[in-house]
Amino acid sequence: MDENQTEFVREFVLAGFSQTPAIEAGLFVLFLFFYVSTWVGNVLIMLTVASDNCLNSSPMYFLLGNLSFLDLCYSTVTTPKLLADFLENEKLITYDQCIVQLFFLHFVGAAEMFLLTVMAYDRYVAICRPLHYTTVMSRRLCCFLVAASWTGGFVHSIVQAILTNHLPFCGPNQVDNFFCDVPPVIKLACADTFVIELLMVSNSGLISTSSFVVLISSYTTILVKIRSKEGRQKALSTCASHLMVVTLFFGPCIFIYARPFSTFSVDKLVSVLYNVVTPMLNPLIYTLRNKNVKSAMWKLWDRSGLTTKK
């Protein structure tokens, strides 16, 4: 067929979780609960950190507030569209919307990876150099590191979006996931994508794997430098929340992006874990294991006038 007569794809069909309306309705309620919980938990942490002078002046909680904002953005990239699709028979997304969703998914996701690495460095300085902590982790440096995380995410994402956008899509148009991401979308291109796949895997896989290695190295260094058993237990207790968040986020990301673009039956469930569930669990993890955050939340509750005065 002549190139000028080739009909290119203008919209994609997203894969759902089920074709049964009753199951789709049940999933709508479940994922709506996840999304509302994500909003409530992360907004509560942001308000708590912003309203408490002690927390707001601490580098650790300043970074935690930024992490909550990223979690909120990350979940919002995919979940509203997923909820709308549960109510539709045809789960369609235009080509332009697909590229935009893919861009913001990698933008916010990579920024969160970089921020989690920054938070690991913050814990390293706090535990290994406590006397210099406030000097090293100044507000100016924290703001710079947060801005650098966003910038790194943007650079990573724009590369992914440009490479994907330059591929020709002339059918089929069935995306094997509930949102647009590089691995399932690039498989639909009607061209040889080996080099592009290699570049994208190197990009996403390198960021997720190298960030995870830096994180693990940071915590290993902390444990090695602390000689006493009690000191190590205290360090583990301090870093436990962050380690749980890192494992929940990086584990699925490495599974999806640090391998060739081959499809596994569990990919969709893994995508749910790091796109929907993890942003909801992060506030719960940090709140349950942190006395300062819980205390500040109670103060915020008292100041709001919602408690019953006796």
Side-chain angles (χ1 to χ4, degrees), residues 196-255:
I196 301 296
E197 285 186 32
L198 191 61
L199 288 172
M200 290 185 172
V201 169
S202 300
N203 190 346
S204 298
L206 183 63
I207 288 177
S208 56
T209 305
S210 60
S211 297
F212 186 69
V213 169
V214 169
L215 285 162
I216 297 302
S217 300
S218 175
Y219 289 120
T220 302
T221 304
I222 290 173
L223 295 177
V224 169
K225 285 194 172 186
I226 299 176
R227 301 293 182 182
S228 65
K229 184 178 179 180
E230 291 182 359
R232 288 183 178 179
Q233 289 178 343
K234 185 177 180 181
L236 282 173
S237 177
T238 303
C239 301
S241 299
H242 192 61
L243 282 170
M244 290 175 67
V245 170
V246 164
T247 303
L248 283 171
F249 188 75
F250 277 90
C253 287
I254 291 174
F255 176 79

Side-chain angles (χ1 to χ4, degrees), residues 19 25 53 64 68-69 108 140 142 159 213 256 261 272 295:
Q19 299 297 323
N53 292 330
L64 177 59
S68 291
F69 179 69
V108 181
R140 183 177 180 180
C142 288
V159 170
V213 169
I256 294 293
F261 288 172
V272 170
S295 175

